[in-house]
Amino acid sequence: MLTIPLEIQILFAGILFLLGLIGVLVRRNIIFMLMSIEVMLNSAGLVFIIAGSHWKQPDGQVMFIFILAVAAVEVSIGLALILQVYHHYKTLDADAINKLKDTI
Amino acid sequence: MTITDFLCLSPFLIIAGAPIVIMILISILRNYAVVFGFSVLSLLIAFASIFFIVPAEPHSIKQLFIIDSYSLFFLGIIILSALLVTMLSYEYIKQLEGVREEYYIILFTSTLGASLLAVANHFILFFLGFETLSISLYILIAFQKTKDSSIEAGIKYLIMASVSSAFLLFGMALIYTAFGTMQFNEVGSAIHNQGQFSPLVITGFGMMMVGIGFKLALFPFHMWTPDIYQGAPAPVTAYIATVSKGALMAVLIRFFFNIKGFDNPYFFAVISVISIFSMTIGNLLAIRQQNLKRLLAYSSIANMGYLIIILLTGSNRGIQSAIFFLTAYFVTTIGAFGVISLLSTAKNEAEKIADYEGLFWERPWIAIVLTICLLSLAGIPVTAGFIAKFYIIFEGMKAGLLVLVFSMIINSVIGLYYYIRVITTLFANTGKTKLPLLSFTGNLTLALITLSILVLGIYPGWLINIIVKFVHL
């Protein structure tokens, strides 16, 4: 059976994380930003699973289940807030709702 | 699970059970005063239950929880600040439109997250506490649904806090990959055995620092602070500035001392740079603020910059001085934001410094409270802030952190300027204030806060004795 070295696995998860981060920074639509955050959280979960299988411990998978639960809560709150944002501003463009800033 | 385990978990069980009871209460009878009274009562019971745990400490439960004198003290100040915030919220939340009772449910869940952080000894509990705290805060910040700025602050905090928690999580995962353990003390001994750091570990700690630094609003992750502080309802701002930061500081100190970060030249350099930049940038940006909430936000960035100096002292005395600083900072900050929230109405948030012009001549009592809070933040003698800063400087000097201590002293002087600027506005001889009158609960809470600031400033010996005798990591 072919085993992929640990470094490559972590690198793969790292690339996923970077893709998510770039998504948050580049995308201006709040729903897409939320999706990119999901990618980041899941890439961290992937590293936990990789590490768990590397150390032959269940801890990594336990942590992944927690991450899934927390990410679900975060998205549900996020979508509720996005509804409110649309209600108030009639847009989901992150730049358009940036009203709070330093006024000197 | 033994009886001792249950006893040690009793504050958490009370804090976790209270929101469920409130939910049932709401479904039977929706009464604001009853829910408020019940919340205050359960926080008091949770606080009292800490004293029953004291004989059982130190006690650890299944790798996850560690109940020692250090975590009990933090638990105590977290619950007390949550109590003060609850009491200050009464008037503010009462005048909102729509549902209001749910505010207290969310306040309890966020307090649960914060208190879990104080006892965390494992990455899983660290992460769960961190997320319980942040997710509750998203709702609390956006609680004023009718206000644009509240919703904007909520969504901003949601995006940025989720990114920061993703960083924290990825960092934890890398450290777990490197050492095969998620317990703080085992990570510490693994580092001790290994001697030097692999790139994997350095990346891991760096990413964890992003997550923690964001929550503590340290440079360069401080950008969100003024926006969120301004947009959130004033009592929630008090909550973010104290409980959320204090709980993160508790877990950061425990983790940092477990891995003996102060012995490592990388950590030493990074923490020093973050500390110096946080205090300088916080103070410089505060100078020209016209908005009191934003001014206090920048001042909190500076205060956290002062506080992380003690991470580098690496001594028990350092931890004790940090705990005293946090206690004084909690009381003072809740006092300052408490004045703002008591003077705000549903339509008009009393956040512009101009709103406070000539307050002293019409409402001397509340102007004096705000003055004392600001003087304490500035670190003027006779207030708690002075003793707190004095101890940090003292411990910093003893550990030989001359550069850090020197920049802290310079920054305290810069800070004095903008606090005094607000105070002079209070005593200006112009303007008629349009701010509302105070309620009984508000007056009572402010009196308690003022009293404790002065007591901690004039006679701090008793608290220092308790901390020195009782609290050690």
Side-chain angles (χ1 to χ4, degrees), chain B residues 75 144 180 233 418 462:
Chain B
L75 204 56
Q144 234 172 331
Y418 58 81
W462 60 275

Side-chain angles (χ1 to χ4, degrees), chain B residues 236-250:
Chain B
V236 178
T237 315
Y239 194 83
I240 303 170
T242 56
V243 175
S244 152
K245 287 188 183 176
L248 253 288
M249 206 60 212

